[in-house]
Amino acid sequence: MNKRAMTEKASKIKEFFLQFIMPPKCAVCGKLLNINDGTLCVECLEKWHDEKEKECERCTRCASLCTCNAKLNKTAIISYYSSCSMYESDFSKEIIASLKYKRQKCLIKFMANELMSNMYMIYGLKLDNCIIAYPPRSKSSLKKYGFDHAKMLANELGSLTGIPVFHGMRHKGSKEQKYLNYESRAKNAFESFYIKNTAEASEKLRGKTVILIDDVITTGATAICIAAFLHNCGAESVKFLSVAKTPPLSKRNL
Ligand SMILES: [Zn+2]
Ligand SMILES: [Zn+2]
């Protein structure tokens, strides 16, 4: 048995014993789960399904089909984009916060499955020509929270679909995008992200369809920046998938 298989076996045994000491709790609200529940309790699961069905106020499509985002519509750098839900209600903020700030493998798996459903539903892809990419967490954020949820999501989506994952992006930035406007976000993204080894990256990305994933898309600045780097390394097209998107209510996003 190799080292990876041994570690996997050990973590399964640990998980098995832990459920007796610490009964499983809902990954969002923390309520104790019933025997038939999965990652979320019945109430949270219902709320999540409602989130996915909510309509965009501008185009009346649900998040997975809504493509209202001015910056992304004006650039060919991202050929298509889709999100599982709108990032607006208290619940959607809570579920994203749980994904970003609490290290929960079960929630990562749950969201990877959701991304996969969107991927199959929206994109008719030849999977053998695809590669998954993600914006890695910044070093300061990684230090603070101890894990990279985007990387974990990408790896999980990779193992679900058999699509390889590109790990060549780096993030040296420390400024949080959420406090910045589009222009500052774009500048910050281009200053923060870079490709570790361009020659190596080109070998992996040339002629590929890249499925770029993220937790939330707001202005699209980070996605456009990463997509530009991927195209520079020969990627043929970049399709974007996120768990949630900020609804295009304000003029900023239209
Ligand atoms: Zn719950
Ligand atoms: Zn829309």
Side-chain angles (χ1 to χ4, degrees), residues 171-222:
H171 188 179
K172 63 183 172 195
S174 53
K175 268 187 224 155
E176 283 218 55
Q177 291 282 66
K178 65 180 172 187
Y179 302 117
L180 309 171
N181 63 19
Y182 178 80
E183 279 67 28
S184 316
R185 277 173 187 247
K187 188 170 175 283
N188 185 39
F190 276 102
E191 283 168 357
S192 309
F193 291 100
Y194 65 98
I195 288 202
K196 190 189 158 204
N197 182 328
T198 319
E200 227 173 69
S202 300
E203 252 173 60
K204 291 186 173 128
L205 298 167
R206 194 167 297 125
K208 296 280 178 188
T209 297
V210 185
I211 300 156
L212 175 61
I213 63 154
D214 205 354
D215 48 14
V216 182
I217 185 163
T218 306
T219 61
T222 304

Side-chain angles (χ1 to χ4, degrees), residues 94-108:
E94 213 180 324
I95 198 163
I96 293 292
S98 303
L99 186 73
K100 285 171 87 157
Y101 308 125
K102 295 187 229 163
R103 189 190 186 124
Q104 301 180 99
K105 192 87 199 282
C106 59
L107 190 56
I108 299 277

Side-chain angles (χ1 to χ4, degrees), residues 101-202:
Y101 308 125
K102 295 187 229 163
R103 189 190 186 124
Q104 301 180 99
K105 192 87 199 282
C106 59
L107 190 56
I108 299 277
K109 281 190 178 179
F110 177 88
M111 283 308 177
N113 260 297
E114 295 292 296
L115 288 177
M116 183 176 67
S117 309
N118 261 31
M119 196 183 87
Y120 287 143
M121 188 171 66
I122 310 288
Y123 305 134
L125 295 172
K126 263 171 70 191
L127 298 188
D128 57 352
N129 197 42
C130 291
I131 187 161
I132 296 165
Y134 59 92
R137 204 163 212 176
S138 69
K139 274 187 183 163
S140 55
S141 220
L142 196 59
K143 205 172 158 196
K144 188 169 174 190
Y145 301 107
F147 69 105
D148 184 340
H149 62 298
K151 184 179 180 179
M152 287 170 81
L153 257 182
N155 282 336
E156 202 54 49
L157 184 62
S159 62
L160 281 170
T161 55
I163 301 172
V165 181
F166 174 66
H167 290 291
M169 289 301 312
R170 292 291 180 272
H171 188 179
K172 63 183 172 195
S174 53
K175 268 187 224 155
E176 283 218 55
Q177 291 282 66
K178 65 180 172 187
Y179 302 117
L180 309 171
N181 63 19
Y182 178 80
E183 279 67 28
S184 316
R185 277 173 187 247
K187 188 170 175 283
N188 185 39
F190 276 102
E191 283 168 357
S192 309
F193 291 100
Y194 65 98
I195 288 202
K196 190 189 158 204
N197 182 328
T198 319
E200 227 173 69
S202 300

